[in-house]
Coordinates of all heavy atoms in Angstrom, one line a residue:
M132 N -15.3 -1.0 -24.8 CA -14.6 -0.1 -23.9 C -13.5 -0.8 -23.2 O -13.6 -1.9 -22.6 CB -15.7 0.3 -22.9 CG -15.2 1.5 -21.9 SD -16.6 1.9 -20.9 CE -16.5 3.6 -20.9
P133 N -12.2 -0.2 -23.2 CA -11.1 -1.0 -22.5 C -11.3 -1.0 -21.0 O -11.9 -0.1 -20.4 CB -9.9 -0.1 -22.9 CG -10.4 1.3 -23.3 CD -11.9 1.1 -23.7
E134 N -10.9 -2.2 -20.4 CA -11.0 -2.3 -19.0 C -10.0 -1.4 -18.2 O -8.8 -1.3 -18.7 CB -10.8 -3.8 -18.7 CG -11.7 -4.2 -17.5 CD -11.5 -5.7 -17.4 OE1 -10.7 -6.2 -16.6 OE2 -12.2 -6.5 -18.1
I135 N -10.4 -0.8 -17.2 CA -9.5 0.0 -16.4 C -8.7 -0.9 -15.6 O -9.1 -1.7 -14.8 CB -10.3 1.0 -15.4 CG1 -11.2 1.9 -16.2 CG2 -9.3 1.7 -14.7 CD1 -12.1 2.7 -15.4
P136 N -7.3 -0.7 -15.7 CA -6.4 -1.6 -14.9 C -6.6 -1.3 -13.4 O -6.7 -0.1 -13.0 CB -5.0 -1.2 -15.4 CG -5.1 0.1 -16.1 CD -6.6 0.2 -16.5
V137 N -6.5 -2.3 -12.6 CA -6.7 -2.1 -11.1 C -5.4 -2.3 -10.6 O -4.7 -3.2 -10.7 CB -7.8 -3.0 -10.6 CG1 -7.8 -3.0 -9.1 CG2 -9.2 -2.7 -11.1
T138 N -5.0 -1.3 -9.8 CA -3.8 -1.4 -8.8 C -4.3 -2.0 -7.6 O -5.2 -1.3 -6.9 CB -3.1 0.0 -8.7 OG1 -2.7 0.4 -9.9 CG2 -1.8 -0.2 -7.7
S139 N -3.7 -3.1 -7.2 CA -4.1 -3.7 -5.8 C -3.1 -3.5 -4.8 O -1.9 -3.7 -5.0 CB -4.2 -5.2 -6.1 OG -4.4 -5.8 -4.8
I140 N -3.5 -2.7 -3.8 CA -2.6 -2.4 -2.6 C -3.1 -3.1 -1.4 O -4.3 -2.9 -1.0 CB -2.5 -0.9 -2.3 CG1 -2.1 -0.1 -3.6 CG2 -1.7 -0.6 -1.1 CD1 -2.3 1.5 -3.5
T141 N -2.3 -4.0 -0.8 CA -2.8 -4.7 0.4 C -1.7 -4.5 1.6 O -0.6 -4.8 1.3 CB -2.9 -6.2 0.0 OG1 -3.6 -6.4 -1.1 CG2 -3.6 -7.0 1.1
I142 N -2.3 -4.1 2.6 CA -1.5 -3.7 3.7 C -1.5 -4.8 4.8 O -2.7 -5.1 5.2 CB -1.8 -2.3 4.2 CG1 -1.5 -1.2 3.1 CG2 -1.0 -1.9 5.5 CD1 -1.9 0.1 3.5
C143 N -0.5 -5.2 5.3 CA -0.4 -6.2 6.4 C -0.9 -5.5 7.7 O -0.3 -4.6 8.1 CB 0.8 -6.8 6.6 SG 0.8 -8.1 7.9
M144 N -2.1 -6.0 8.3 CA -2.6 -5.5 9.4 C -2.3 -6.3 10.6 O -2.9 -6.2 11.7 CB -4.1 -5.2 9.2 CG -4.5 -4.4 8.1 SD -3.8 -2.7 8.2 CE -5.1 -2.0 9.3
G145 N -1.4 -7.3 10.4 CA -0.9 -8.1 11.6 C -0.3 -7.3 12.6 O 0.2 -6.2 12.4
S146 N -0.3 -7.7 13.9 CA 0.1 -6.9 15.0 C 1.6 -6.4 14.8 O 1.9 -5.3 15.1 CB 0.0 -7.6 16.3 OG 0.7 -8.7 16.3
S147 N 2.5 -7.2 14.3 CA 3.9 -6.7 14.1 C 4.0 -5.7 13.1 O 4.5 -4.7 13.3 CB 4.7 -8.1 13.7 OG 6.2 -7.5 13.5
C148 N 3.5 -6.0 11.9 CA 3.6 -5.0 10.9 C 2.8 -3.7 11.2 O 3.3 -2.5 11.0 CB 3.0 -5.5 9.5 SG 4.1 -6.7 8.7
F149 N 1.7 -3.8 11.8 CA 0.9 -2.7 12.2 C 1.6 -1.8 13.2 O 1.7 -0.6 13.0 CB -0.5 -3.2 12.9 CG -1.5 -2.1 12.9 CD1 -2.1 -1.6 11.9 CD2 -1.7 -1.5 14.2 CE1 -3.1 -0.6 11.9 CE2 -2.7 -0.4 14.3 CZ -3.4 0.0 13.2
S150 N 2.2 -2.5 14.3 CA 2.9 -1.5 15.2 C 4.2 -1.0 14.8 O 4.7 -0.1 15.3 CB 3.1 -2.4 16.6 OG 4.0 -3.4 16.3
R151 N 4.8 -1.7 13.8 CA 6.1 -1.2 13.3 C 6.0 -0.3 12.2 O 7.0 0.2 11.6 CB 7.0 -2.4 12.8 CG 7.3 -3.3 14.0 CD 8.0 -4.6 13.6 NE 9.3 -4.4 13.0 CZ 9.9 -5.4 12.3 NH1 9.4 -6.5 12.1 NH2 11.0 -5.0 11.7
G152 N 4.8 0.1 11.7 CA 4.8 1.2 10.7 C 3.5 1.2 9.9 O 3.2 2.1 9.3
N153 N 2.8 -0.1 9.7 CA 1.7 0.0 8.9 C 0.5 0.9 9.3 O -0.4 1.2 8.6 CB 1.3 -1.4 8.5 CG 2.1 -1.9 7.3 OD1 2.8 -1.1 6.7 ND2 1.9 -3.2 7.0
S154 N 0.4 1.1 10.7 CA -0.6 1.9 11.2 C -0.5 3.3 10.6 O -1.4 4.0 10.2 CB -0.6 2.0 12.7 OG 0.7 2.6 13.2
R155 N 0.8 3.8 10.4 CA 1.0 5.0 9.7 C 0.9 4.9 8.2 O 0.4 5.8 7.5 CB 2.4 5.6 10.2 CG 2.8 6.9 9.6 CD 1.9 8.1 9.9 NE 2.1 9.3 9.0 CZ 1.2 10.1 8.6 NH1 -0.2 9.8 8.7 NH2 1.4 11.1 7.9
N156 N 1.4 3.8 7.7 CA 1.4 3.7 6.2 C 0.0 3.6 5.6 O -0.3 4.2 4.6 CB 2.1 2.4 5.8 CG 3.6 2.4 5.9 OD1 4.2 3.5 5.9 ND2 4.3 1.3 6.1
I157 N -0.9 3.1 6.4 CA -2.3 3.1 5.8 C -2.9 4.5 5.8 O -3.6 4.8 4.9 CB -3.2 2.2 6.7 CG1 -4.5 1.8 5.9 CG2 -3.5 2.6 8.0 CD1 -5.3 0.7 6.2
E158 N -2.5 5.3 6.8 CA -3.0 6.7 6.8 C -2.3 7.5 5.6 O -3.0 8.2 5.0 CB -2.6 7.4 8.1 CG -3.3 6.9 9.3 CD -2.7 7.5 10.6 OE1 -1.7 8.2 10.5 OE2 -3.4 7.2 11.6
V159 N -1.1 7.2 5.4 CA -0.3 7.8 4.3 C -1.0 7.4 2.9 O -1.3 8.3 2.0 CB 1.2 7.4 4.2 CG1 1.8 7.9 2.9 CG2 1.8 8.0 5.4
V160 N -1.4 6.1 2.8 CA -2.1 5.7 1.5 C -3.4 6.4 1.3 O -3.7 6.9 0.3 CB -2.2 4.2 1.6 CG1 -3.1 3.7 0.3 CG2 -0.9 3.5 1.5
Q161 N -4.2 6.4 2.4 CA -5.5 7.0 2.4 C -5.5 8.5 2.1 O -6.2 9.0 1.3 CB -6.3 6.7 3.7 CG -6.7 5.3 3.9 CD -7.2 5.0 5.3 OE1 -6.9 5.7 6.3 NE2 -8.2 4.1 5.4
E162 N -4.4 9.2 2.7 CA -4.3 10.7 2.3 C -3.9 10.9 0.9 O -4.3 11.7 0.2 CB -3.3 11.3 3.3 CG -3.7 11.5 4.8 CD -2.5 11.6 5.7 OE1 -1.4 11.8 5.3 OE2 -2.8 11.5 6.9
F163 N -3.0 9.9 0.4 CA -2.5 10.0 -1.0 C -3.7 9.8 -2.0 O -3.8 10.6 -2.9 CB -1.4 8.9 -1.2 CG -0.9 9.0 -2.6 CD1 0.3 9.6 -2.9 CD2 -1.5 8.3 -3.6 CE1 0.9 9.6 -4.1 CE2 -1.0 8.3 -4.9 CZ 0.2 8.9 -5.2
L164 N -4.5 8.8 -1.7 CA -5.6 8.5 -2.6 C -6.6 9.6 -2.5 O -7.2 10.0 -3.5 CB -6.3 7.1 -2.3 CG -5.4 5.9 -2.4 CD1 -6.1 4.7 -2.0 CD2 -5.0 5.8 -3.9
K165 N -6.9 10.2 -1.3 CA -7.9 11.2 -1.2 C -7.4 12.5 -2.0 O -8.2 13.3 -2.6 CB -8.0 11.6 0.4 CG -9.3 12.5 0.6 CD -9.4 12.5 2.1 CE -10.4 13.6 2.4 NZ -10.5 13.9 3.9
A166 N -6.1 12.7 -1.8 CA -5.6 14.0 -2.6 C -5.7 13.8 -4.1 O -5.6 14.7 -4.8 CB -4.1 14.1 -2.2
Q167 N -5.7 12.5 -4.5 CA -5.8 12.3 -6.0 C -7.3 12.0 -6.3 O -7.5 11.5 -7.4 CB -4.9 11.1 -6.4 CG -3.6 11.3 -6.1 CD -2.7 10.8 -7.2 OE1 -3.2 10.2 -8.1 NE2 -1.4 11.1 -7.1
N168 N -8.2 12.4 -5.4 CA -9.6 12.1 -5.7 C -10.0 10.7 -5.8 O -10.8 10.2 -6.7 CB -10.0 12.9 -7.0 CG -10.8 14.1 -6.6 OD1 -11.2 14.2 -5.5 ND2 -11.0 14.9 -7.6
L169 N -9.3 9.9 -5.0 CA -9.5 8.4 -5.0 C -9.7 7.8 -6.4 O -10.8 7.4 -6.8 CB -10.9 8.2 -4.2 CG -10.9 8.7 -2.7 CD1 -12.4 8.6 -2.2 CD2 -10.0 7.8 -1.8
P170 N -8.6 7.6 -7.0 CA -8.7 6.9 -8.4 C -9.5 5.7 -8.3 O -9.2 4.9 -7.3 CB -7.3 6.6 -8.6 CG -6.4 7.6 -7.8 CD -7.3 7.8 -6.5
P171 N -10.4 5.4 -9.1 CA -11.3 4.3 -9.1 C -10.6 3.0 -9.4 O -11.0 2.0 -9.2 CB -12.4 4.5 -10.2 CG -11.7 5.6 -11.1 CD -10.8 6.4 -10.4
A172 N -9.4 3.1 -10.0 CA -8.6 2.0 -10.4 C -7.7 1.4 -9.3 O -6.7 0.8 -9.6 CB -7.8 2.2 -11.6
V173 N -8.0 1.7 -8.0 CA -7.2 1.3 -7.0 C -8.0 0.5 -6.0 O -9.1 0.9 -5.6 CB -6.5 2.4 -6.2 CG1 -5.8 2.0 -5.0 CG2 -5.6 3.2 -7.1
A174 N -7.6 -0.8 -5.6 CA -8.2 -1.5 -4.7 C -7.3 -1.6 -3.5 O -6.2 -2.0 -3.5 CB -8.5 -2.9 -5.2
L175 N -7.8 -1.1 -2.4 CA -7.0 -1.0 -1.1 C -7.7 -2.0 -0.1 O -8.8 -2.0 0.2 CB -7.1 0.3 -0.5 CG -6.4 0.6 0.9 CD1 -4.9 0.3 0.8 CD2 -6.5 2.0 1.3
N176 N -6.8 -3.0 0.3 CA -7.3 -3.9 1.3 C -6.2 -4.2 2.4 O -5.1 -3.8 2.3 CB -7.4 -5.2 0.5 CG -8.6 -5.2 -0.4 OD1 -9.8 -5.1 0.0 ND2 -8.3 -5.3 -1.7
G177 N -6.7 -4.8 3.3 CA -5.8 -5.3 4.5 C -5.8 -6.7 4.6 O -6.6 -7.5 4.0
H178 N -4.8 -7.4 5.2 CA -4.8 -8.8 5.5 C -4.1 -9.0 6.8 O -3.4 -8.2 7.3 CB -4.1 -9.6 4.3 CG -2.7 -9.3 4.2 ND1 -1.7 -9.8 5.0 CD2 -2.0 -8.8 3.1 CE1 -0.5 -9.4 4.6 NE2 -0.7 -8.7 3.4
L179 N -4.2 -10.2 7.3 CA -3.6 -10.6 8.6 C -2.2 -11.1 8.3 O -1.9 -11.2 7.1 CB -4.5 -11.6 9.3 CG -6.0 -11.3 9.6 CD1 -6.7 -12.4 10.2 CD2 -6.0 -10.1 10.5
C180 N -1.6 -11.4 9.4 CA -0.1 -11.7 9.3 C 0.0 -12.9 8.3 O -0.8 -13.9 8.3 CB 0.3 -12.2 10.7 SG 2.0 -12.8 10.7
E181 N 1.1 -12.7 7.5 CA 1.4 -13.8 6.6 C 2.8 -14.5 6.8 O 3.4 -15.1 6.0 CB 1.3 -13.2 5.0 CG -0.2 -12.9 4.7 CD -0.3 -12.7 3.3 OE1 0.6 -12.1 2.7 OE2 -1.5 -13.1 2.8
G182 N 3.2 -14.2 8.0 CA 4.5 -14.9 8.4 C 5.7 -14.2 8.0 O 6.8 -14.9 8.0
H183 N 5.7 -13.0 7.6 CA 7.0 -12.4 7.1 C 7.2 -11.2 8.1 O 7.8 -10.2 7.7 CB 6.8 -11.8 5.7 CG 6.4 -12.7 4.7 ND1 7.2 -13.7 4.2 CD2 5.2 -13.0 4.0 CE1 6.5 -14.5 3.3 NE2 5.3 -14.0 3.2
C184 N 6.9 -11.3 9.4 CA 7.0 -10.3 10.3 C 8.4 -9.7 10.4 O 8.5 -8.5 10.6 CB 6.6 -10.8 11.7 SG 5.1 -11.7 11.7
K185 N 9.4 -10.5 10.4 CA 10.8 -10.1 10.5 C 11.2 -9.0 9.5 O 12.0 -8.1 9.9 CB 11.8 -11.2 10.4 CG 12.0 -12.0 11.7 CD 13.2 -13.0 11.6 CE 13.4 -13.7 12.9 NZ 14.3 -14.8 12.7
S186 N 10.6 -9.1 8.3 CA 11.0 -8.2 7.3 C 9.9 -7.0 7.2 O 10.0 -6.3 6.2 CB 11.2 -8.9 6.0 OG 10.1 -9.7 5.7
G187 N 9.0 -6.9 8.1 CA 8.0 -5.9 8.0 C 8.5 -4.6 8.3 O 9.6 -4.4 8.8
P188 N 7.6 -3.6 8.3 CA 6.2 -3.7 7.7 C 6.1 -4.1 6.3 O 6.9 -3.6 5.4 CB 5.7 -2.3 8.0 CG 6.7 -1.5 8.7 CD 7.9 -2.2 8.6
N189 N 5.2 -4.9 5.9 CA 5.0 -5.4 4.6 C 3.8 -4.8 4.0 O 2.7 -4.7 4.6 CB 4.8 -6.9 4.7 CG 6.1 -7.6 5.2 OD1 7.2 -7.4 4.8 ND2 5.9 -8.4 6.2
V190 N 3.9 -4.5 2.6 CA 3.0 -4.0 1.8 C 3.0 -4.8 0.5 O 4.0 -4.9 0.0 CB 3.0 -2.5 1.6 CG1 1.9 -2.0 0.6 CG2 2.8 -1.7 3.0
T191 N 1.9 -5.2 0.0 CA 1.8 -6.0 -1.2 C 1.1 -5.2 -2.3 O 0.0 -4.7 -2.1 CB 1.0 -7.3 -1.1 OG1 1.7 -8.1 -0.1 CG2 1.2 -8.1 -2.4
I192 N 1.7 -4.8 -3.4 CA 1.2 -4.1 -4.6 C 1.2 -5.0 -5.8 O 2.3 -5.5 -6.1 CB 2.0 -2.8 -4.8 CG1 1.9 -1.9 -3.4 CG2 1.3 -2.1 -6.0 CD1 2.5 -0.6 -3.6
N193 N 0.0 -5.3 -6.3 CA 0.0 -6.1 -7.5 C 0.7 -7.4 -7.4 O 1.3 -7.9 -8.3 CB 0.4 -5.3 -8.8 CG -0.4 -4.1 -9.1 OD1 -1.4 -3.9 -8.6 ND2 0.2 -3.1 -9.9
G194 N 0.4 -7.9 -6.2 CA 1.0 -9.3 -5.9 C 2.4 -9.4 -5.5 O 2.9 -10.5 -5.2
K195 N 3.2 -8.3 -5.5 CA 4.6 -8.3 -5.2 C 4.6 -7.8 -3.8 O 4.2 -6.6 -3.5 CB 5.4 -7.5 -6.1 CG 6.9 -7.5 -5.8 CD 7.6 -6.8 -6.9 CE 9.2 -6.8 -6.8 NZ 9.8 -6.9 -5.5
I196 N 5.3 -8.4 -2.8 CA 5.5 -8.0 -1.5 C 6.7 -7.1 -1.3 O 7.7 -7.4 -1.7 CB 5.5 -9.1 -0.5 CG1 5.4 -8.7 1.0 CG2 6.7 -10.1 -0.7 CD1 5.1 -9.9 2.0
Y197 N 6.5 -6.0 -0.7 CA 7.5 -4.9 -0.4 C 7.8 -5.0 1.1 O 6.8 -5.1 1.9 CB 7.1 -3.6 -0.9 CG 7.1 -3.5 -2.4 CD1 5.8 -3.8 -3.0 CD2 8.1 -3.2 -3.2 CE1 5.8 -3.8 -4.4 CE2 8.1 -3.2 -4.5 CZ 6.9 -3.5 -5.1 OH 6.8 -3.6 -6.5
H198 N 9.0 -5.0 1.5 CA 9.4 -5.2 2.9 C 9.9 -3.9 3.5 O 10.4 -3.0 2.7 CB 10.5 -6.2 3.1 CG 10.0 -7.6 2.5 ND1 9.1 -8.4 3.1 CD2 10.5 -8.3 1.5 CE1 8.9 -9.5 2.5 NE2 9.8 -9.4 1.4
E199 N 9.9 -3.8 4.8 CA 10.4 -2.6 5.5 C 9.9 -1.3 4.9 O 10.7 -0.4 4.6 CB 12.0 -2.7 5.5 CG 12.5 -3.9 6.2 CD 13.9 -4.0 6.3 OE1 14.7 -3.2 5.8 OE2 14.5 -5.1 6.8
V200 N 8.6 -1.3 4.7 CA 8.0 -0.1 4.0 C 7.8 1.0 5.1 O 7.0 0.8 6.1 CB 6.7 -0.5 3.3 CG1 6.1 0.7 2.8 CG2 7.0 -1.5 2.3
D201 N 8.4 2.1 4.8 CA 8.2 3.2 5.7 C 7.3 4.3 4.9 O 7.2 4.1 3.7 CB 9.4 3.8 6.3 CG 10.3 4.4 5.3 OD1 10.0 4.7 4.1 OD2 11.5 4.5 5.7
P202 N 6.9 5.5 5.5 CA 6.1 6.4 4.7 C 6.8 7.0 3.5 O 6.1 7.2 2.5 CB 5.9 7.5 5.7 CG 5.9 6.8 7.1 CD 6.9 5.8 7.0
I203 N 8.1 7.1 3.5 CA 8.9 7.6 2.3 C 8.8 6.6 1.2 O 8.5 6.9 0.1 CB 10.3 8.0 2.7 CG1 10.2 9.2 3.6 CG2 11.1 8.3 1.5 CD1 11.6 9.6 4.2
V204 N 9.0 5.3 1.5 CA 8.9 4.2 0.6 C 7.5 4.1 0.0 O 7.4 4.0 -1.2 CB 9.4 2.9 1.2 CG1 9.1 1.7 0.2 CG2 10.9 3.0 1.6
I205 N 6.6 4.1 0.8 CA 5.1 4.0 0.4 C 4.8 5.0 -0.6 O 4.1 4.8 -1.6 CB 4.1 3.8 1.5 CG1 2.8 3.2 1.0 CG2 3.9 5.1 2.2 CD1 2.7 1.8 1.0
I206 N 5.3 6.3 -0.3 CA 4.9 7.4 -1.3 C 5.6 7.2 -2.7 O 5.0 7.3 -3.7 CB 5.4 8.8 -0.7 CG1 4.5 9.2 0.5 CG2 5.4 9.8 -1.8 CD1 3.1 9.6 0.0
G207 N 6.8 6.6 -2.6 CA 7.5 6.3 -3.9 C 6.7 5.2 -4.6 O 6.5 5.3 -5.9
L208 N 6.2 4.2 -3.9 CA 5.5 3.1 -4.5 C 4.2 3.6 -5.1 O 3.8 3.2 -6.2 CB 5.2 1.9 -3.5 CG 6.4 1.2 -3.0 CD1 6.2 0.2 -1.9 CD2 7.0 0.3 -4.3
L209 N 3.5 4.5 -4.3 CA 2.2 4.9 -4.8 C 2.4 5.8 -6.1 O 1.6 5.7 -7.0 CB 1.5 5.8 -3.7 CG 1.1 5.0 -2.5 CD1 0.7 6.0 -1.3 CD2 -0.1 4.1 -2.9
N210 N 3.4 6.7 -6.0 CA 3.6 7.5 -7.2 C 4.0 6.6 -8.5 O 3.7 6.9 -9.6 CB 4.9 8.4 -6.9 CG 4.4 9.6 -6.3 OD1 3.4 10.2 -6.5 ND2 5.2 10.2 -5.4
H211 N 4.6 5.5 -8.3 CA 4.9 4.6 -9.4 C 3.8 3.8 -9.8 O 3.5 3.7 -11.0 CB 6.1 3.7 -8.8 CG 6.5 2.7 -10.0 ND1 7.3 3.1 -11.0 CD2 6.2 1.4 -10.2 CE1 7.5 2.1 -11.8 NE2 6.9 1.1 -11.4
F212 N 2.8 3.3 -9.0 CA 1.9 2.3 -9.3 C 0.5 2.9 -9.5 O -0.4 2.3 -10.2 CB 1.9 1.2 -8.3 CG 3.0 0.2 -8.3 CD1 4.0 0.2 -7.4 CD2 3.0 -0.6 -9.4 CE1 5.0 -0.6 -7.4 CE2 4.1 -1.6 -9.5 CZ 5.1 -1.5 -8.6
V213 N 0.1 3.9 -8.7 CA -1.2 4.5 -8.9 C -1.4 5.2 -10.1 O -0.6 6.2 -10.3 CB -1.6 5.3 -7.6 CG1 -3.0 6.0 -7.7 CG2 -1.5 4.5 -6.4
P214 N -2.4 4.9 -11.0 CA -2.6 5.6 -12.2 C -3.0 7.1 -11.9 O -3.7 7.3 -10.9 CB -3.7 4.8 -12.9 CG -4.2 3.8 -11.9 CD -3.3 3.8 -10.7
K215 N -2.4 7.9 -12.6 CA -2.8 9.4 -12.5 C -4.2 9.7 -13.0 O -4.5 9.1 -14.0 CB -1.7 10.3 -13.3 CG -0.3 10.0 -12.8 CD 0.0 10.5 -11.4 CE 1.3 10.2 -10.9 NZ 1.5 9.1 -10.0
P216 N -4.9 10.5 -12.2 CA -6.4 10.8 -12.6 C -6.3 11.5 -14.1 O -5.3 12.1 -14.4 CB -6.9 11.6 -11.6 CG -5.7 12.1 -10.7 CD -4.6 11.3 -11.1
Ligands
FES444 S1 2.4 -9.0 11.0 FE1 2.8 -8.6 8.9 S2 3.7 -10.5 8.1 FE2 3.4 -10.8 10.2

């Protein structure tokens, strides 16, 4: 049986990223996943500040960090990376 690829989404929950937009971005991600029936191939996590505050809010998808992520950008990333059910 082929392994299901896992999309890893990690949202910076440090105070700078959180207050500058990730508090909303995490809600957008949760709503998106819920609307898609929570695809099992998505791992959603948070992490503490990693020192890139100036370019935040930061979101990491599959190991690549995306900067200045707002709700429009996150929807675009989700549409690109989350496998369709
Ligand atoms: S708070 Fe996100 S990198 Fe510092």
Side-chain angles (χ1 to χ4, degrees):
M132 188 179 224
E134 219 171 90
I135 301 171
V137 172
T138 300
S139 168
I140 302 171
T141 309
I142 296 181
C143 181
M144 303 300 278
S146 58
S147 176
C148 286
F149 193 79
S150 66
R151 291 170 68 194
N153 273 354
S154 60
R155 178 64 189 136
N156 284 336
I157 194 161
E158 290 172 356
V159 171
V160 171
Q161 288 171 332
E162 287 161 14
F163 181 95
L164 295 178
K165 195 173 170 191
Q167 298 224 354
N168 257 346
L169 300 171
V173 175
L175 176 61
N176 293 294
H178 64 69
L179 299 177
C180 175
E181 292 191 323
H183 307 290
C184 310
K185 273 189 179 173
S186 51
N189 299 306
V190 174
T191 304
I192 299 182
N193 294 342
K195 181 178 185 332
I196 186 165
Y197 295 87
H198 304 289
E199 298 179 6
V200 177
D201 64 21
I203 293 172
V204 170
I205 195 87
I206 287 289
L208 291 169
L209 292 168
N210 277 321
H211 182 73
F212 285 106
V213 173
K215 302 291 176 259

